[in-house]
Amino acid sequence: MSFTSEAAGALQISYTVSFPEAQAHYADIEMDIKGIAQSKLNLKMPVWTPGSYLVREFAKNVESFSAQSGGKAVDVTKVRKNVWQLNTQGVSSVKVKYRFYAFEISVRTAFIDVTHAFLSTSGMFFYPEGGLNLPSTIKIIPYKNWNKVSTSLEMVGNDPFTVKSPNYDILYDSPIEVGTQDIFDFKVGNTNYEVCMYGGGNYDKERLKKDMAKVIEEEVKIFGENPNKRYVFIVHNYVKGGGGLEHLSSTVLGATRDGYTKESTYEGFLSLVAHEHFHLWNVKRLRPIALGPFDYDNENYTTNLWIAEGFTAYYDNLTVRRTNLFPVEHYLTALAADFNTIDNTPGTKVQPVSQSSFDAWIKSYRPDENTINTGISYYNKGAVVGMMLDLEIINATQGKQSLDDVMRYMYNEYYKVKKRGYTDAEFKAAFEKFAGKKLDDFYAKYINGTDDMDYNKYLAYAGYRAFNEYEGHSIADLGIRMLPPANPAGRIKVAGVLRGTAAWVDGINVNDELVSINGVAATDPKTLMKDKNVGDKLDIVVIRDGRELTIPVTLKQTTQKKYSIQSRTDLTPQQQVVRKKWLNFN
């Protein structure tokens, strides 16, 4: 009998996870499968995790894979990089055993040591081919003094170490933290929130409860409802940490252990909370049509990550601003930083943001020394596109509507009513519906094209102006990204060369080690261009592949920009209306 999804529907599956060698970063996993009716059973490991658009080949961490039934070995053949085939002729149940190595610290990969286990489920648990709709249970046997489990999965009975999932899409969207983590909770509306803190830190629980609740309340207002009854924040605190990964009813955050008492770091943490929590609507439920049902074997391509991720990046700082947890000036500084990132990335003139979304699988998560010249981040550019569309709608409707209304409309129309993802054309039509105008030109310039972004056209609606502090000044620039001295000779190493700059034109290379400029030792990145002028001709001595070379370079005007956002003093009534609507400006 060949394998079919119909046959898979009769399977009963449970897992047991133990940590006999946690110090060596291993989990031992047993997968019990009952109700087998086919002669061959394919077990598959996902190659990527939703929310992180890179094929990570999780099967590389699997070892000692074996299967038995009734105490007898079952033949196993690995038939693909992530597929193990079991010969189940005459067998109705089988116990699969394998070891999993977990030693990569990130929000999207599993990590195990003696202090805790972070189980990134999409990269650890096999599923039967054709059986993504199957339920399963996971029993955890904790290591030594571990006494807590944090996950959005439901407990089985009153046993916190046994959880269940209704299907594999839910299982793969529900990471599990096991250890001695600090846990506190709070409630927002009818939703219970659990915060799990691993790694210690100087956080103030009561302050976090209050401030996180404010952020959450502000986001619920946008969509009109919270679809979760329970939500879990898993926070990993390190000496220096950051980043996050969204899930359907939880998120994993990286944070700086002792950064909670520093204003800028704390604000950054709240923005991260806002970003990942916003995803429970935008991308986990309101999603591009390509992102679900997931193909766990291959890339899932979409041109709309500028909405899924970029708009989320727009709303993170904006949400915190709306709560008044940081002042308008801080928000505008963060917005200007996005402008800088875009305009100081030569790749913004090469790659449209829609193509950046599509190419995430081969570019965004695989940056190299030339990435800055060939691509643009759909996070930063998508966030600014969100700002521009938001201000366009607010201005066109005299403050009666905003991008919030587009997001709420799309959530209701596609997630709740049509129960499917959206196409690019459908989201464009929604923008046009609320803006009251066609956006073909906007899309041609900023979404599918590489035109310079007209920040000031849109900021002017709210009485602001982006000012480039370098404009009108003669600033000589070599055009390189540098690594500080890390070799015995104390030489600066070139990490990147920006397109169109002096270094690009005259042939400075990545990995060149700077020796001297016009006979003066080049040891301090901060003073490299001191007393240099546009048009100066320099002899730059470098070490390249162990050989000393002298490269003549003619300095050019900097291509870099440094924006600040300034307010008009004579706001019109219309600008006052737009500003108040946009930034919750009192």
Side-chain angles (χ1 to χ4, degrees):
M1 180 180 181
S2 62
F3 183 81
T4 65
S5 58
E6 182 179 347
L11 300 178
Q12 300 95 51
I13 301 171
S14 62
Y15 303 87
T16 301
V17 185
S18 59
F19 310 92
E21 290 191 295
Q23 84 288 349
H25 321 297
Y26 277 95
D28 283 8
I29 301 176
E30 294 184 4
M31 181 181 185
D32 286 311
I33 308 170
K34 296 181 173 64
I36 299 171
Q38 58 266 36
S39 60
K40 294 186 183 300
L41 177 62
N42 286 345
L43 297 181
K44 309 180 79 173
M45 177 72 78
V47 302
W48 70 289
T49 185
S52 184
Y53 307 100
L54 177 68
V55 171
R56 296 184 183 276
E57 310 294 17
F58 295 119
K60 70 181 183 290
N61 297 316
V62 174
E63 61 183 73
S64 303
F65 188 102
S66 66
Q68 60 176 248
S69 179
K72 295 182 179 180
V74 170
D75 288 339
V76 177
T77 304
K78 190 172 183 181
V79 294
R80 197 179 164 199
K81 64 180 182 180
N82 65 323
V83 182
W84 279 253
Q85 187 174 87
L86 280 58
N87 182 354
T88 52
Q89 181 72 47
V91 170
S92 61
S93 65
V94 66
K95 183 187 293 289
V96 174
K97 295 183 179 182
Y98 59 97
R99 309 198 79 203
F100 192 89
Y101 181 72
F103 193 58
E104 182 180 348
I105 294 177
S106 82
V107 295
R108 55 194 168 262
T109 49
F111 181 89
I112 299 166
D113 68 8
V114 295
T115 65
H116 79 131
F118 172 61
L119 309 183
S120 184
T121 46
S122 58
M124 294 187 71
F125 294 101
F126 285 92
Y127 71 95
E129 185 176 18
L132 285 172
N133 62 328
L134 292 172
S136 60
T137 61
I138 300 175
K139 180 177 179 59
I140 297 168
I141 300 175
Y143 177 80
K144 292 189 176 180
N145 66 328
W146 295 355
N147 56 12
K148 296 173 185 174
V149 173
S150 296
T151 180
S152 58
L153 294 172
E154 291 185 24
M155 283 192 302
V156 176
N158 294 317
D159 180 4
F161 289 95
T162 303
V163 295
K164 61 182 179 181
S165 176
N167 58 58
Y168 279 93
D169 286 322
I170 297 293
L171 175 60
Y172 292 155
D173 219 2
S174 306
I176 303 169
E177 175 74 19
V178 190
T180 59
Q181 60 269 25
D182 184 21
I183 297 174
F184 60 91
D185 52 30
F186 58 93
K187 195 167 186 176
V188 178
N190 294 320
T191 306
N192 294 309
Y193 282 86
E194 176 184 313
V195 181
C196 146
M197 289 285 196
Y198 162 77
N202 60 358
Y203 52 87
D204 180 332
K205 294 182 188 180
E206 295 307 312
R207 184 185 183 193
L208 280 175
K209 288 180 189 180
K210 181 178 67 174
D211 291 348
M212 290 172 73
K214 286 181 180 179
V215 169
I216 291 164
E217 287 166 356
E218 197 64 40
E219 291 184 341
V220 172
K221 288 179 189 176
I222 296 169
F223 292 93
E225 68 173 21
N226 191 330
N228 285 307
K229 295 301 180 186
R230 181 170 172 269
Y231 189 94
V232 178
F233 288 95
I234 298 174
V235 185
H236 292 154
N237 292 294
Y238 302 109
V239 171
K240 186 176 182 180
L245 188 65
E246 71 275 5
H247 297 283
L248 194 68
S249 303
S250 64
T251 187
V252 185
L253 310 178
T256 298
R257 181 178 297 129
D258 293 324
Y260 294 93
T261 55
K262 183 180 179 182
E263 182 183 45
S264 60
T265 307
Y266 184 70
E267 288 178 358
F269 178 75
L270 291 180
S271 291
L272 180 61
V273 167
H275 183 103
E276 301 305 337
H277 187 265
F278 192 87
H279 270 313
L280 78 85
W281 294 279
N282 191 32
V283 98
K284 299 315 301 185
R285 292 171 174 85
L286 170 62
R287 57 175 174 76
I289 201 162
L291 297 184
F294 291 119
D295 177 354
Y296 293 104
D297 285 343
N298 302 289
E299 295 89 342
N300 292 224
Y301 292 103
T302 173
T303 57
N304 292 126
L305 292 182
W306 61 273
I307 298 174
E309 290 291 353
F311 280 21
T312 304
Y314 170 58
Y315 271 104
D316 53 21
N317 286 324
L318 183 63
T319 298
V320 181
R321 163 56 222 144
R322 287 176 175 177
T323 65
N324 290 308
L325 286 170
F326 63 59
V328 170
E329 292 73 21
H330 290 199
Y331 173 74
L332 295 177
T333 297
L335 187 59
D338 277 334
F339 295 173
N340 290 336
T341 297
I342 294 167
D343 282 10
N344 293 336
T345 302
T348 194
K349 301 295 294 179
V350 175
Q351 184 186 53
V353 73
S354 57
Q355 194 65 41
S356 172
S357 300
F358 192 85
D359 284 343
W361 299 91
I362 61 171
K363 282 183 175 284
S364 297
Y365 288 90
R366 287 194 176 101
D368 61 23
E369 69 284 347
N370 201 40
T371 294
I372 195 170
N373 294 312
T374 63
I376 188 65
S377 167
Y378 48 76
Y379 282 92
N380 302 102
K381 193 164 185 178
V384 174
V385 167
M387 177 211 77
M388 293 160 72
L389 288 169
D390 197 8
L391 287 168
E392 179 69 41
I393 294 167
I394 295 171
N395 186 66
T397 61
Q398 289 77 49
K400 294 182 178 63
Q401 293 179 315
S402 70
L403 187 60
D404 293 9
D405 297 278
V406 179
M407 302 303 289
R408 187 182 310 114
Y409 167 78
M410 291 296 291
Y411 172 76
N412 287 325
E413 185 71 13
Y414 289 92
Y415 170 66
K416 297 182 70 176
V417 177
K418 290 186 168 65
K419 301 185 186 304
R420 65 167 174 83
Y422 57 81
T423 67
D424 182 81
E426 287 166 342
F427 223 120
K428 178 174 179 285
F431 292 138
E432 294 173 338
K433 170 184 173 70
F434 287 90
K437 61 189 289 189
K438 297 294 287 184
L439 293 172
D440 293 353
D441 186 57
F442 185 94
Y443 264 67
K445 288 180 176 180
Y446 304 130
I447 308 304
N448 301 317
T450 59
D451 286 24
D452 290 337
M453 303 188 81
D454 191 351
Y455 308 125
N456 282 323
K457 172 183 175 180
Y458 298 92
L459 287 175
Y461 293 151
Y464 289 108
R465 174 177 178 267
F467 174 71
N468 174 19
E469 296 177 19
Y470 293 163
E471 188 174 349
H473 297 279
S474 179
I475 302 173
D477 187 22
L478 188 56
I480 62 173
R481 294 284 185 262
M482 296 174 279
L483 295 174
N487 51 60
R491 289 193 287 264
I492 297 166
K493 191 172 186 178
V494 178
V497 178
L498 301 186
R499 186 187 298 269
T501 63
W504 175 281
V505 171
D506 291 326
I508 301 291
N509 285 189
V510 169
N511 295 327
D512 283 352
E513 294 181 5
L514 303 186
V515 177
S516 65
I517 298 178
N518 284 353
V520 179
T523 56
D524 186 354
K526 294 180 181 178
T527 62
L528 211 58
M529 290 293 100
K530 186 179 179 181
D531 299 325
K532 305 294 191 300
N533 299 303
V534 175
D536 283 356
K537 297 184 183 299
L538 310 177
D539 285 331
I540 299 180
V541 178
V542 304
I543 299 295
R544 180 181 299 171
D545 190 29
R547 300 169 60 194
E548 187 172 284
L549 301 175
T550 299
I551 304 174
V553 175
T554 302
L555 289 181
K556 302 179 71 172
Q557 170 69 17
T558 184
T559 61
Q560 300 294 284
K561 296 180 181 178
K562 184 181 180 182
Y563 285 108
S564 59
I565 298 177
Q566 303 173 345
S567 174
R568 292 174 57 101
T569 56
D570 54 340
L571 295 183
T572 66
Q574 172 78 351
Q575 287 171 328
Q576 290 174 342
V577 167
V578 172
R579 183 179 291 195
K580 183 175 182 180
K581 178 72 171 179
W582 181 36
L583 298 178
N584 189 25
F585 204 104
N586 297 320

